[in-house]
Amino acid sequence: MSQHRTARRLAGLGGAAGATALLLALTACSTPGAGAADTPGVTDDTVTVGTHHPLTGPAAAGYSTISAATKAYFDYVNDQGGINGRTIEYLVKDDGYNPANTQTVVRELVQEDEVFAILNGLGTPTHSAVLDYLDQNAVPDLFVASGSTSWNDPETYPMTFAFNVDYVVEGAVLAQYAADEHPGAKVCVLGQDDDFGEEFLEGVELALGVGGVAEVQEYSVSNQDVSAQIGAMQAAGCEINMLATVNGFSALAIGTAAKLGWFPMWFSSSSGGDYPTLAGFLGEAAPQLLQGFVSANYLPFGPDGEWVELFRQINDDYNGGADFDGNTVYGMSVGYLFAEALAAAGDDPTREALVAALESGDLAGNGILPLGFSKTSHAAWNGAGITIVDAGVQDFVDAAYEVEGGEVSAVDPAPVPLENAGVPAA
Amino acid sequence: MSEHDTRVDAGAATSGADAATATPAVDAGSAVRPERRPRASTRRLLLTAAGLTVLAIAGTFLLDPYRNYQLALIAAYFCATAGLTLLIGLTGQLSLGHAALMAAGGYGYAITTNAATEAGIEGAARFGLGMLGAVAVSAALGLALGLAAARLRGPYLAGVTLVLVIALPAFAAVFAPVLGGDQGVRIAFDGVPEALRALIAVEQWQAWVAILVAAVCATALALVRHGRLGLRMRAGHGDETAARLAGVATGRVKVAAFAWSAVTAGAGGAVLCFVTQAVSPGAYTLAFSLLLVVAVVVGGLGSLGGAASGSAIIVLLPWAVGALTAALDLPADLGQRLNGNLAVLVFGAILIVVVAWRPAGLAGVARRAVDALARRRRPRSAAVPAGGPRPAASAPEPEASTEPEASTAPEASAPRTTEPTHIER
């Protein structure tokens, strides 16, 4: 077998292929502009949306149940006849919280599955990886599951909308509550060493002034030991510890302090302040350790609320009675807000109509404060309420704050009442 | 010098490590005219490479954007697996840290590109500078690793490379101002050049760039393999003491092998960064590093074609498994659990099957098929006594050309360790 001959044959083949390629180029199937005029993901009786969530990998423990809750809510809506006669199909792809996987699965959703929109993509590093891609392809990028301020940039990313209250607002809300209820207390911050921690600190300083924070400590997700940070905070005499941490690290911080025999007050962002999740991490000691635990929240999480009652019912009927926690409420609230936007987008929803519906400012959502979407702001809410744990029950207290133009002010919570059995109508 | 090389060559051939390429006839030719052999084979190799590249680029016209994106990923992974397969197959050094080397290239590319963007440089010049940055960073890391590799072997070396991948997130966190911690570094988007904009989509352009970089990497590696360095790598791997006696500085050869392998891995990381506009530690996990090793083992150690098919498998298999679980309409929670894990399970199963049944990997299977075809065309010349023991050095045909059905019995008695190091037909 002569290699020479093989090479020549290959080279000849290559040349022929090159010529074929030029011919093919004229009728190429990947030539831009060859797409159909119809709106992707919308048929006469279905609307298909997709998302990327960590179902496996390091972040799965905290967040993998969200997409199941959203899906359960959509199943419920579909059984009620859907939105404007269309059922909602929700495709969930696992990205393992790995930005490279996010790139792949989101392209698959957009190009293969031809989804109408990306809904509630989870994670700052992961979603950052597809931000430009979704913008270039004009795919609505709705309700990103992260409190980074990156999603509220309508000039650069007109299709991207946030869902979480951003970390700056959460920091400011918690710090203002601390200043109002515990004037003169020494406030410290423990933050994740990325946007989460930085922006949260920015918010705390917005309320307290730059000199208002006694001690700032950071942790990295890759290191499961925060005793050095907690030790430094104890040494600095902190009385209120503000946490810009995910649930696992909130529990770690509280547990580590308890081991040192130190019981300061804890104020946590909503991302790391879910009582059922924390209790799961802390075990039997949870009710004592978490007594008086303060957290920001903006969704209807109060145990007696009508939304929670409905969501519990949906969780039992459509989600196999999975554990009901903050993730369940979060996932279903995302579903509700999308259903509301879809209903408002009209009988023949297009991507433009969907974005216009969101920017109109007419949507209400189901939060405890009015929704803040407009042409100039893609932040879902500009404020949050305060929840406190008492005897193992986490509920809202009568305090809420809003951040407007760099000013933090107290507002009255204005929860959206439940209507039409939780199915938005046009 | 040339006489010296010939001796090494002969040594390698008689050791049986390279029975596939260095047939006695070619060796005799090279002894008489030492200048001609490398040049002729180089031209042949370059022609093959050019042909395959044109073929791959032509292929992009047949694919839709998502397939082109997958092709770009395959090409990027191929850069890394090609270097890895050379390293493991030719020198016998196992690296579990190639993901970290890819990351080094990715960070080198991202940081250089961002600096270039700030300096107002765009387009091809920026890409070129980025690639230089990627190569510089990954080569430096590869050299450092190579220096360790020259002194370590087996599990100790694997351990060192393993540490590299595990330490990556912490390293990124410590140097967060430059490397951006867990969020990594993002770069500006590089679209299709103006002249081609009406003709091709972004994904196709990205596939072109990835294919070209992969072609350069694979060609360079093929040249290394065919050249003196490759010969010395094989000599050192076959019998280090004998190679040293023959005057091969095995330590230096190992360092060079690691450096080459690192540079191509870095180039692959740079391409990934170019395609995805970001580099972060989360993209280069230990699991990914192990997946690269799986790719080269399944493809066939030492074979560039094997590395290419292995790369295709690690890109396409998770997608195929995902499509399958979606099509099966499983209960929600079971589907959710299988979604990310089933692919890993299938990889494990494939690995076991390949190692137990076809240690030469896909490349070995293809080689057998081609040889079987060739034998059918020329039945007389390939008449190897079935089952009979044969002296390794005098056998004109590669070992893989034994009758398929006869291969199980006689090979069981012969040491199989050298089989995976076969390089090509």
Side-chain angles (χ1 to χ4, degrees):
Chain A
M1 276 250 301
S2 153
Q3 281 195 356
H4 194 84
R5 229 177 24 202
T6 320
R8 257 212 313 233
R9 214 179 303 148
L10 268 175
L13 205 58
T20 323
L22 278 178
L23 281 176
L24 267 173
L26 300 171
T27 54
C29 50
S30 69
T31 306
D38 293 331
T39 301
V42 178
T43 67
D44 286 344
D45 45 17
T46 60
V47 171
T48 307
V49 290
T51 192
H52 62 90
H53 271 242
L55 305 180
T56 57
Y63 302 118
S64 63
T65 54
I66 293 176
S67 54
T70 310
K71 189 161 189 331
Y73 174 79
F74 285 152
D75 287 345
Y76 166 74
V77 169
N78 292 344
D79 275 359
Q80 311 283 314
I83 302 293
N84 291 339
R86 288 186 184 83
T87 55
I88 303 172
E89 293 193 8
Y90 189 49
L91 304 177
V92 182
K93 302 257 178 188
D94 178 23
D95 65 3
Y97 211 66
N98 174 341
N101 290 351
T102 312
Q103 291 263 357
T104 307
V105 297
V106 167
R107 279 167 203 265
E108 201 178 333
L109 285 169
V110 172
Q111 286 164 353
E112 293 285 284
D113 303 321
E114 299 190 340
V115 294
F116 180 48
I118 295 292
L119 177 63
N120 197 231
L122 190 143
T124 306
T126 45
H127 199 75
S128 296
V130 291
L131 199 52
D132 283 309
Y133 172 76
L134 293 174
D135 178 55
Q136 283 153 16
N137 289 278
V139 180
D141 177 17
L142 308 187
F143 318 145
V144 183
S146 144
S148 167
T149 48
S150 318
W151 327 125
N152 178 19
D153 185 3
E155 281 192 16
T156 321
Y157 300 109
M159 309 298 270
T160 298
F161 292 80
F163 186 79
N164 294 31
V165 167
D166 72 51
Y167 301 131
V168 177
V169 170
E170 286 204 346
V173 165
L174 287 168
Q176 193 60 48
Y177 179 71
D180 289 353
E181 295 295 313
H182 306 280
K186 213 169 205 183
V187 175
C188 304
V189 172
L190 173 67
Q192 197 160 299
D193 61 346
D194 54 19
D195 287 2
F196 187 5
E198 279 168 37
E199 292 177 359
F200 183 85
L201 177 62
E202 196 184 310
V204 172
E205 289 181 339
L206 191 74
L208 302 181
V210 176
V213 183
E215 178 75 27
V216 178
Q217 288 289 323
E218 287 184 344
Y219 74 91
S220 167
V221 187
S222 43
N223 183 0
Q224 297 272 343
D225 181 2
V226 292
S227 35
Q229 289 91 328
I230 297 298
M233 292 169 89
Q234 187 182 16
C238 302
E239 293 167 273
I240 295 178
N241 287 341
M242 302 251 175
L243 298 172
T245 51
V246 290
N247 283 313
F249 279 85
S250 303
L252 194 62
I254 295 166
T256 306
K259 274 187 202 155
L260 297 171
W262 184 41
F263 302 94
M265 285 185 271
W266 299 97
F267 283 40
S268 164
S269 90
S270 63
S271 305
D274 181 44
Y275 181 79
T277 312
L278 293 177
F281 279 116
L282 290 168
E284 282 177 10
Q288 290 99 319
L289 291 179
L290 294 172
Q291 177 63 28
F293 178 83
V294 177
S295 170
N297 210 330
Y298 45 91
L299 294 175
F301 191 57
D304 305 322
E306 47 190 1
W307 284 102
V308 168
E309 199 184 322
L310 172 72
F311 287 165
R312 265 187 207 282
Q313 192 60 48
I314 296 175
N315 190 52
D316 287 344
D317 294 348
Y318 295 90
N319 201 16
D323 288 343
F324 189 87
D325 57 18
N327 282 345
T328 319
V329 173
Y330 182 97
M332 293 193 185
S333 301
V334 165
Y336 176 80
L337 187 54
F338 175 73
E340 194 186 359
L342 185 64
D347 279 342
D348 290 306
T350 61
R351 288 173 163 175
E352 293 73 23
L354 187 69
V355 169
L358 284 163
E359 288 188 337
S360 70
D362 294 339
L363 301 186
N366 68 341
I368 61 152
L369 292 172
L371 211 56
F373 287 135
S374 71
K375 269 194 174 13
T376 52
S377 170
H378 284 188
W381 290 280
N382 300 316
I386 299 290
T387 67
I388 295 186
V389 175
D390 185 26
V393 177
Q394 188 172 33
D395 200 1
F396 283 103
V397 294
D398 198 17
Y401 298 88
E402 219 168 42
V403 179
E404 199 71 64
E407 292 287 318
V408 194
S409 51
V411 291
D412 286 330
V416 180
L418 180 70
E419 279 172 7
N420 195 26
V423 179
Chain B
M1 196 61 201
S2 64
E3 199 185 281
H4 177 91
D5 278 339
T6 317
R7 241 191 308 150
V8 177
D9 202 344
T14 43
S15 79
D18 191 27
T21 44
T23 58
V26 178
D27 273 355
S30 77
V32 181
R33 284 175 304 196
E35 292 303 307
R36 280 205 53 183
R37 192 182 75 107
R39 211 179 287 166
S41 76
T42 302
R43 204 177 55 210
R44 208 151 57 205
L45 202 147
L46 290 178
L47 272 176
T48 314
L52 286 174
T53 310
V54 172
L55 208 64
I57 286 190
T60 62
F61 282 100
L62 301 173
L63 302 175
D64 64 35
Y66 181 64
R67 301 273 164 252
N68 271 324
Y69 172 75
Q70 286 183 321
L71 185 63
L73 288 189
I74 293 172
Y77 294 164
F78 177 43
C79 294
T81 53
L84 187 59
T85 204
L86 185 93
L87 187 71
I88 304 180
L90 257 58
T91 71
Q93 293 170 291
L94 177 60
S95 166
L96 299 178
H98 258 54
L101 291 167
M102 287 185 85
Y107 278 109
Y109 180 83
I111 290 165
T112 323
T113 323
N114 281 342
T117 310
E118 270 180 34
I121 303 169
E122 291 208 342
R126 182 169 66 180
F127 180 77
L129 282 175
M131 286 308 289
L132 279 183
V135 166
V137 174
S138 53
L141 185 60
L143 272 178
L145 261 184
L147 288 175
R151 289 160 178 78
L152 300 169
R153 57 178 72 222
Y156 304 103
L157 176 60
V160 169
T161 54
L162 189 67
V163 164
L164 205 64
V165 191
I166 293 172
L168 180 66
F171 189 79
V174 169
F175 296 97
V178 187
L179 304 183
D182 285 339
Q183 286 180 40
V185 185
R186 289 176 67 193
I187 60 166
F189 174 72
D190 237 340
V192 187
E194 202 69 55
L196 293 170
R197 209 156 282 177
L199 198 64
I200 60 174
V202 181
E203 285 80 8
Q204 196 172 358
W205 167 244
Q206 289 172 334
W208 286 17
V209 172
I211 288 168
L212 286 175
V213 173
V216 170
C217 287
T219 310
L221 289 174
L223 287 174
V224 164
R225 192 175 66 184
H226 280 267
R228 289 175 181 173
L229 185 57
L231 221 48
R232 288 172 186 165
M233 287 180 194
R234 267 170 251 149
H237 182 33
D239 186 337
E240 191 162 341
T241 314
R244 280 204 189 143
L245 282 173
V248 176
T250 50
R252 249 186 259 172
V253 169
K254 283 181 182 174
V255 175
F258 235 106
W260 270 106
S261 171
V263 165
T264 55
V271 170
L272 273 189
C273 183
F274 168 80
V275 172
T276 62
Q277 290 120 54
V279 54
S280 64
Y284 297 102
T285 55
L286 177 59
F288 179 58
S289 219
L290 296 178
L291 216 51
L292 290 176
V293 178
V294 171
V296 300
V297 172
V298 170
L301 281 179
S303 153
L304 286 181
S309 44
S311 309
I313 286 177
I314 60 172
V315 170
L316 297 179
L317 192 67
W319 163 80
V321 168
L324 187 74
T325 47
L328 284 182
D329 206 23
L330 298 162
D333 57 334
L334 179 65
Q336 208 176 70
R337 234 174 300 146
L338 285 181
N339 202 335
N341 297 321
L342 191 59
V344 179
L345 197 72
V346 174
F347 276 126
I350 290 181
L351 191 62
I352 292 170
V353 167
V354 166
V355 168
W357 182 62
R358 284 282 184 270
L362 288 177
V365 173
R367 200 155 48 223
R368 276 163 196 263
V370 171
D371 286 341
L373 269 178
R375 210 170 29 248
R376 200 174 301 164
R377 224 177 286 164
R378 304 172 291 147
R380 250 167 299 162
S381 66
V384 179
R390 55 206 160 79
S394 65
E397 291 283 331
E399 198 181 344
S401 70
T402 345
E403 305 278 344
E405 59 271 23
S407 67
T408 43
E411 270 182 22
S413 61
R416 298 193 86 161
T417 44
T418 56
E419 202 199 3
T421 63
H422 274 315
I423 308 311
E424 57 153 43
R425 285 183 288 116

